[in-house]
Amino acid sequence: MGSESGTDTAVTRGGGDAAASSGGPAGGRLGQRLSGLAVALGTLLFLGGFGWAALVYMPFTVPTLSMHPTIAAGDRVLAERVDGSEVRRGDVVVFEQEKWANAPLIKRVVAVGGDTVSCCAGGGLTVNGERIDEPYTGDDPFAATASFSEVTVPEGRLFLLGDDRTGSLDSTAHLTEKAAGTVSRDAVKGRVDAVVWPVDGMLEPATGFRVLGDEPSAPGPLRTQVALAAAGALLIFAGAAHGPVAGLLARRRGAARAGG
């Protein structure tokens, strides 16, 4: 009787250890369900962030140094798809103008319909009689020498300059044309929000045009989209790691019991 009782006890203990180590999924059913939910939610957020960005933004590779030092040649930027009517002074835009080039171009809007613009009386760009602070031109000693006479921008059109004023073929290179080098708002395809390769981040707002009562355009939802994708990636990693981590901990506990 005593022997049978000892045997029963041994079998019960052995069966309990087996159940703990291999009788079910590592981490238990609840843990597995939560990890699966985390992976599913993470996948939704990750793909949703990228899908949303694909609908809102278009990628563009800058071919020249005309926007230096803000954007270098070869940089990859994201331009928010906006209507030309939404563009404000100071915005960096992607546009198409067949008379200028057979490919999309990127320049900064410095004046809009109804403005008068000139350079460089007083040492800098002047719009509607106000001197505009332009830190985005960097320390180019020749920026203030790229002079042109006063131009009145027709309604519905934009006057565009590169940040590298001495190396940019922009509105100043087309002043003798019928529209005095301006571009129709309808030619705008997008407004540049960020340099994504190399990862320089969001463009600095052009605050110098506040003297004209023009606030910088609000950035698009890129930060939110990146946050969603990052959160999704973190959830996917956490959910996928749950099983291996729980299994490792269970094996260590088993080894500790066996050693004890």
Side-chain angles (χ1 to χ4, degrees), residues 34-118:
L34 290 176
S35 67
L37 179 61
V39 170
L41 179 58
T43 301
L44 181 63
L45 291 175
F46 185 79
L47 295 179
F50 274 100
W52 184 15
L55 291 175
V56 175
Y57 288 95
M58 61 179 180
F60 180 74
T61 300
V62 179
T64 70
L65 284 168
S66 68
M67 286 300 294
H68 182 268
T70 305
I71 305 170
D75 282 0
R76 192 77 166 172
V77 302
L78 287 181
E80 183 184 5
R81 303 175 194 271
V82 298
D83 187 87
S85 62
E86 301 176 46
V87 172
R88 299 180 182 180
R89 305 179 189 94
D91 289 346
V92 176
V93 298
V94 175
F95 65 99
E96 294 181 353
Q97 184 78 344
E98 292 183 1
K99 292 183 179 180
W100 293 21
N102 294 322
L105 299 167
I106 178 170
K107 306 292 179 188
R108 189 182 297 274
V109 177
V110 298
V112 299
D115 288 345
T116 56
V117 55
S118 64

